[in-house]
């Protein structure tokens, strides 16, 4: 679990870090053409002569007066009327460290590229879910986990040296593929290495490290303002994890399902020796794969009725989790307060939400908590739409509370998903649910663009969809205290009590026969 935790500190940077390297700054069109006519003009005089003003009396940021071949006296006497776009570029505050926005001019007509690039990263997460889930079921958890770390390290550092913004987006997409692989394989390894009572703790501890990574991100981005240096600082530590090649174990449960019994025995014996225990040879000899276990495929998720219901509802739950989580996280600059303090608060409440989730799942089970957290997340988003825009503190408090419930719901979904799907297709099922989350992750930054028409539209969509999906989750079976299923044919945890019912019927029949005799 400790080994699975370390990469989680860095995934927060890849998820949210772009918010801090594309911070909006004041800017205006480059109007240095007038310097050839009036070299002694002050900066204020230059701007007053060459830039139009908006309705609030501020200088326009995306247009300027068209250059003319008049002398300075004529320009000052008659003024300029014709306007044009900033064809010569923009001017930014000289004291501002280089950012992604200022280096690639992501303003005016290119402003939407910021949200589009975040959507491209989410597309990478989707591709990672498509590939790493099924491949880890076929090839193994360990090799695919190592590959995901390699992708994050190489392309994460490579982003710091990109010459063009479109290359930046391509590299971000590959990093997203690696991050997605890390997330879904962490779920499998953490679940398959521990017993029933420790499953929520093992999974959610890794999520807590991700929350702490968000808090570290706030301090790191505050201290390093140069975007290329910040990118290196957030990605290079991943290279230090290559010692995992020698220490990260494969899942013994997966080895058994693949018939690799001897390898599973070696892994379990190593685990026992680490804990200063020995496994009796006669106990190891009992380690045999069930005869009926066969490799599963993604089609099994739709052929079996109980798996079809679980797949559809859990995919919707992941969709809603991601929609609210990223809708709030990526809008950290839109709540009106200091973005670094807001991010620190987001990380702190997420950590609190992840920890509280451990106890909530133990006390109340999976189904109730999953449904209630989604309902609360959706309702908080809907309440935000009703708060006046000038109430920045109230909106931020509601957003922070929403981040608490959304992160708790996300952790619940991870635990719940691992318990609902059988071992042979656990990663495939988790990958499919992760795909749904990545689709909503792609949509979240694009939906935020609708805020330019009315600020309430994005939050209304986030909240409405999440409330509906929260109600659907009441249809899922409860998995608290049940053993993991290995075979596709194994009934869902809700149906595992059927044999007991059959036994009671058998007893009644025996009593009836005895009475007849």
């Amino acid at each position: 679990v400790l080994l699975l935790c370390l990469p989680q500190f860095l995934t927060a940077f890849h998820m949210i870090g772009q918010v801090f390297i594309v911070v909006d700054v004041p800017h205006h069109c480059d109007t240095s053409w007038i310097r050839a006519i009036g070299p002694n003009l002050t900066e204020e005089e230059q701007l007053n002569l060459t830039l139009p003003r908006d309705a609030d009396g501020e200088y326009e940021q995306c247009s300027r007066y068209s250059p003319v071949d008049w002398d300075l006296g004529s320009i000052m006497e008659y003024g300029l009327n014709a306007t044009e776009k900033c064809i010569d570029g923009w001017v930014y505050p000289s004291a501002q460290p280089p950012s992604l926005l200022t280096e690639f001019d992501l303003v005016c007509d290119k402003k939407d590229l910021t949200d589009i690039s975040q959507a491209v990263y989410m597309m990478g997460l989707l591709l990672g879910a498509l590939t790493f889930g099924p491949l880890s079921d076929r090839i193994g958890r360990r090799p695919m986990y190592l590959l995901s770390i390699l992708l994050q390290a190489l392309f994460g550092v490579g982003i710091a040296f990109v010459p063009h913004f479109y290359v930046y987006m391509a590299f971000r997409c590959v990093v997203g593929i690696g991050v997605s692989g890390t997330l879904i394989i962490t779920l499998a390894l953490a679940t398959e290495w521990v017993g029933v009572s420790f499953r929520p703790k093992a999974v959610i501890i890794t999520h807590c490290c991700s929350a702490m990574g968000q808090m570290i991100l706030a301090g790191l981005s505050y201290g390093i303002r140069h975007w290329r240096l910040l990118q290196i600082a957030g990605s290079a530590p991943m290279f230090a994890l290559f010692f995992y090649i020698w220490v990260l174990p494969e899942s013994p449960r997966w080895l058994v399902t693949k018939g690799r019994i001897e390898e599973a025995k070696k892994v379990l014996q190593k685990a026992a020796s680490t804990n200063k225990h020995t496994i009796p040879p006669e106990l190891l000899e009992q380690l045999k794969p069930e005869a009926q276990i066969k490799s599963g495929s993604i089609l099994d998720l739709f052929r079996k009725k109980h798996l079809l219901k679980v797949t559809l509802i859990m995919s919707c739950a992941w969709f809603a989790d991601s929609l609210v989580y990223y809708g709030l996280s990526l809008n950290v600059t839109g709540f009106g307060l200091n973005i670094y303090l807001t991010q620190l608060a987001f990380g702190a409440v997420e950590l609190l939400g992840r920890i509280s989730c451990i106890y909530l799942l133990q006390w109340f089970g999976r189904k109730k908590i999953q449904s209630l957290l989604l309902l609360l997340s959706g309702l908080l988003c809907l309440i935000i739409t009703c708060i006046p825009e000038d109430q920045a503190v109230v909106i931020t408090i509601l957003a922070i509370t929403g981040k608490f419930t959304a992160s708790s719901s996300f952790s619940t979904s991870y635990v719940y998903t691992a318990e609902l799907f059988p071992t042979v297709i656990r990663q495939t099922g988790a990958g499919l649910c992760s795909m749904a989350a990545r689709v909503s992750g792609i949509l979240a930054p694009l939906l935020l663009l609708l805020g330019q028409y009315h600020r309430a539209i994005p939050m209304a969509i986030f909240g409405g969809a999440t409330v509906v999906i929260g109600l659907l989750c009441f249809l899922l079976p409860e998995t608290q205290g049940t053993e993991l299923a290995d075979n596709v044919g194994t009934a869902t945890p809700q149906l595992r009590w059927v044999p007991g019912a059959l036994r009671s019927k058998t007893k009644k029949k025996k009593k009836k026969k005895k009475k007849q005799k």
Side-chain angles (χ1 to χ4, degrees), residues 85-289:
K85 293 182 179 180
C86 303
I87 58 177
D88 293 328
W90 288 263
V91 175
Y92 305 98
S94 57
Q96 183 73 25
S99 69
L100 197 69
L101 181 144
T102 59
E103 189 162 330
F104 296 116
D105 291 329
L106 303 179
V107 293
C108 299
D109 292 342
K110 295 182 180 180
K111 185 177 182 179
D112 292 344
L113 286 177
T114 301
D115 290 319
I116 292 173
S117 68
Q118 189 67 37
V120 169
Y121 169 77
M122 295 296 178
M123 180 67 73
L125 294 178
L126 173 60
L127 294 174
L130 275 170
T131 53
F132 277 85
L135 286 176
S136 64
D137 276 337
R138 290 182 176 272
I139 301 174
R141 291 19 174 164
R142 181 177 176 275
M144 298 310 297
Y145 191 82
L146 295 175
L147 178 60
S148 69
I149 290 177
L150 177 64
L151 290 177
Q152 290 179 67
L154 287 179
F155 287 88
V157 173
I159 288 174
F161 302 96
V162 296
H164 302 290
F165 185 69
Y166 294 105
V167 179
Y168 167 85
M169 287 199 292
F171 276 39
R172 283 271 293 167
C173 184
V174 179
V175 169
I177 293 173
V179 170
S180 184
T182 301
L183 292 176
I184 60 177
I185 298 174
T186 295
L187 169 65
L189 285 172
T191 303
E192 294 170 0
W193 259 109
V194 299
V196 175
S197 61
F198 291 99
R199 284 201 301 255
K201 294 177 182 177
V203 174
I204 295 172
I205 283 172
T206 63
H207 291 179
C208 290
C209 293
S210 178
M212 287 188 280
Q214 289 201 38
M215 298 173 69
I216 294 171
L217 171 62
L220 191 67
S221 57
Y222 181 80
I224 305 175
R225 301 298 178 91
H226 193 299
W227 79 272
R228 293 186 186 270
L229 296 178
L230 179 59
Q231 183 67 39
I232 293 173
S235 303
M238 194 66 78
F239 281 108
L241 302 182
F242 282 124
F243 71 93
Y244 279 23
I245 296 173
W246 297 280
V247 298
L248 184 70
E250 182 57 273
S251 164
R253 182 183 287 270
W254 178 85
L255 290 171
V256 169
T257 61
K258 292 299 179 181
R260 295 158 63 174
I261 305 300
E262 293 305 316
E263 293 179 56
K265 288 179 180 179
K266 290 179 181 178
V267 171
L268 290 174
Q269 285 174 325
K270 184 178 179 181
S273 65
T274 301
N275 292 299
K276 298 180 180 179
H277 291 288
T278 56
I279 302 177
E282 59 274 13
L283 185 60
L284 277 178
E285 290 305 317
Q286 298 177 24
L287 191 64
K288 296 177 182 179

Side-chain angles (χ1 to χ4, degrees), residues 495-513:
L495 303 176
R496 287 187 183 180
W497 302 109
V498 172
L502 292 176
R503 283 196 298 273
S504 63
K505 288 182 180 179
T506 305
K507 288 180 180 178
K508 288 180 180 179
K509 287 181 180 179
K510 287 181 179 179
K511 287 181 179 179
K512 189 175 182 181
K513 286 182 180 179

Side-chain angles (χ1 to χ4, degrees), residues 187 301 306-322 366-367 370-371 374 409-421 429-438 440 469-470 472-479:
L187 169 65
L301 296 174
H306 65 281
L307 288 178
L308 176 61
K309 183 178 80 170
V310 166
T311 301
L312 293 178
I313 297 179
M314 284 310 300
S315 295
C316 290
W318 281 60
F319 182 93
D321 290 334
S322 180
R366 282 51 162 162
K367 181 170 69 173
Q370 180 73 84
S371 302
L374 283 173
S409 180
F410 228 146
S411 288
T412 303
S413 296
Y414 271 86
V415 175
Y416 207 2
T417 301
E419 294 177 343
L420 285 168
F421 289 108
L432 194 62
C433 292
S434 182
M435 282 170 52
R438 304 321 162 200
S440 63
I469 294 169
L472 281 177
C473 289
F474 282 109
L475 301 176
L476 289 169
E478 182 56 73
T479 60

Side-chain angles (χ1 to χ4, degrees), residues 274-408:
T274 301
N275 292 299
K276 298 180 180 179
H277 291 288
T278 56
I279 302 177
E282 59 274 13
L283 185 60
L284 277 178
E285 290 305 317
Q286 298 177 24
L287 191 64
K288 296 177 182 179
E290 295 181 37
Q292 71 270 23
I293 289 184
K294 60 180 182 179
S295 297
S297 71
I298 194 170
L299 296 178
D300 291 322
L301 296 174
F302 302 96
R303 281 197 290 251
K304 307 290 183 180
K305 288 185 179 180
H306 65 281
L307 288 178
L308 176 61
K309 183 178 80 170
V310 166
T311 301
L312 293 178
I313 297 179
M314 284 310 300
S315 295
C316 290
W318 281 60
F319 182 93
D321 290 334
S322 180
L323 195 65
V324 176
Y325 183 87
Y326 291 113
L328 294 173
S329 298
L330 299 178
N331 198 32
V332 67
T333 58
F335 297 126
L337 297 181
N338 183 282
I339 61 171
Y340 302 102
L341 292 177
T342 304
Q343 178 60 37
L344 183 64
F346 271 10
V349 298
E350 180 169 337
L351 178 61
L352 183 62
R354 306 284 193 186
I355 294 173
S356 64
C357 197
I358 296 175
Y359 301 101
L360 290 174
L361 292 176
Q362 288 179 343
W363 295 338
F364 303 106
R366 282 51 162 162
K367 181 170 69 173
K368 292 179 182 178
I369 294 301
Q370 180 73 84
S371 302
L372 291 175
L373 287 173
L374 283 173
L375 288 172
L376 285 174
S377 300
L379 290 173
L380 285 166
C381 289
L382 293 175
I383 293 172
I384 288 175
T385 62
C386 304
I387 305 300
E389 192 172 1
D390 57 350
Q391 300 293 322
V393 175
V394 177
I395 292 175
T396 303
I397 291 173
L398 289 171
I400 290 172
T401 309
K403 186 71 181 292
F404 173 88
T405 56
S407 57
S408 299

